[in-house]
Amino acid sequence: MSEETVLAELKNIYHPDHIAKNAFFREMLEQDPERWISLKKISVIKQMKPLVNGDLNLLIRAVESGSDAFELNEQKTKLRDIPKAQEEQKEEEAEEAKVFKFEEHMLAVNRRSIYAKGFAADNEPGRKDILALFSPFGRVMHIKYRRDDERKFKGSIFVEFENTEIAQEVVAKNLEYQGKELLVMLKSEYVEMKAKEKYAGNSDFKPDGPLKVSSFLEFQGADEMKPEQIKDLVKPIGSVVHVYQPRKQKGSGVIEVEGIWPEEFLAKLVDNKLENLTFKVADDEARGKYIDDKMRLVNYRKQKKRPGNHRHQRGPKKQKT
């Protein structure tokens, strides 16, 4: 048996999931505060026994080849996993979990989005025109104009809806814009098609650079609740960055929650409710108002910190709509 195979199985044995499930091995680890275990004991573990077949020298060579993960004592009679490697493994697993959730989020977005082609490239439709075309089917969350490297309109768009049912209904219709028939398909199918053309079928979603996870959510039912009360209510699910509450829409507003995708957030609620508050994913318009309000607050705080400003200044004006 090769050293690589033995080392791979050793890593499996020391994997946190295996340790959590295997009480016998967990007891072996806990017998020594420094986590040393004799090679003889390792060699008779069910998964390891047929690999080493009593050959402790093979086990030693395997451990030495994986010096970043394991180490031997001076007598080469015991081994232990390296704490640094444990921490690195946990970080890797946490990052993998983040990427997995990102991929799940992107798949969910693509399933409720459509790709529409057939608009005149030299006569870009306005946002109101796009909304007039698609909003009769249901709530439009986001519109993205597809552009080339010179930022010129390519004659096609992506439109995200509130759910997959709306997107599927749109695809089933024969839509026209200014007398010209549009090619319409689910964005998930479009991405899959392009993946086959360009990447041999690999349509995995990988984040570009550091992954920032957050959700923009509209809420209703806040009544007299203040921002801090809303933050405290949502805190068990995720940290609220900012709460936007327009004056003319009492009890409603938009929040941004860090560390969770909107699908995950809503999945933790019953009927999209958290006590008296009802949530839904924020659309472009609501998200834009939230960002404007947040920037006003940021600019106000910067201005307040400047030398010579009075302490008792009025806060930033809230939006009326």
Side-chain angles (χ1 to χ4, degrees), residues 12 28 53 58 73 87 104 111 129 133 148 155 173-174 180 184 195 203 217 251 256 262 275 303-304 311 314:
N12 288 336
M28 289 175 64
N53 197 25
L58 173 59
N73 65 350
E87 292 302 315
E104 288 291 297
R111 289 186 187 120
D129 299 319
L133 180 62
D148 61 21
K173 299 289 183 181
N174 294 319
K180 186 178 180 181
V184 182
S203 59
L217 299 144
E256 181 185 358
E275 295 189 7
Q303 190 177 16
K304 194 175 179 182
R311 288 185 180 180
R314 291 182 180 178

Side-chain angles (χ1 to χ4, degrees), residues 21-166:
K21 293 175 184 176
N22 193 313
F24 175 71
F25 184 66
R26 195 164 59 248
E27 286 176 10
M28 289 175 64
L29 282 173
E30 292 170 353
Q31 287 174 5
D32 188 317
E34 296 183 350
R35 297 169 69 92
W36 289 107
I37 299 179
S38 73
L39 297 183
K40 286 184 179 181
K41 286 184 178 180
I42 293 289
S43 70
V44 296
I45 291 174
K46 185 179 179 180
Q47 305 96 304
M48 188 62 71
K49 191 173 182 179
L51 300 182
V52 298
N53 197 25
D55 186 355
L56 297 186
N57 287 325
L58 173 59
L59 189 53
I60 289 170
R61 292 196 301 274
V63 171
E64 288 175 337
S65 70
S67 58
D68 60 331
F70 301 97
E71 62 181 342
L72 295 162
N73 65 350
E74 289 184 12
Q75 295 79 23
K76 295 188 178 182
T77 56
K78 297 179 181 181
L79 70 80
R80 68 177 175 183
D81 54 339
I82 299 173
K84 183 180 178 183
Q86 294 174 36
E87 292 302 315
E88 287 178 352
Q89 186 174 18
K90 286 180 182 178
E91 289 176 8
E92 283 179 13
E93 288 172 357
E95 191 59 34
E96 285 175 4
K98 271 187 183 181
V99 172
F100 175 76
K101 287 181 178 180
F102 169 76
E103 291 173 348
E104 288 291 297
H105 165 68
M106 291 306 302
L107 283 170
V109 169
N110 288 352
R111 289 186 187 120
R112 63 174 181 257
S113 301
I114 60 101
Y115 163 78
K117 179 182 179 181
F119 301 94
D122 57 354
N123 186 21
E124 183 178 314
R127 179 181 168 80
K128 287 184 179 179
D129 299 319
I130 300 298
L131 287 172
L133 180 62
F134 292 107
S135 59
F137 295 97
R139 188 166 171 247
V140 174
M141 308 296 298
H142 178 58
I143 300 168
K144 181 178 180 181
Y145 292 79
R146 300 188 68 244
R147 303 185 185 280
D148 61 21
D149 294 338
E150 296 178 355
R151 303 301 298 161
K152 292 180 180 178
F153 181 51
K154 296 173 72 172
S156 58
I157 60 173
F158 292 124
V159 182
E160 180 188 346
F161 296 97
E162 191 165 24
N163 55 54
T164 55
E165 290 76 16
I166 299 171

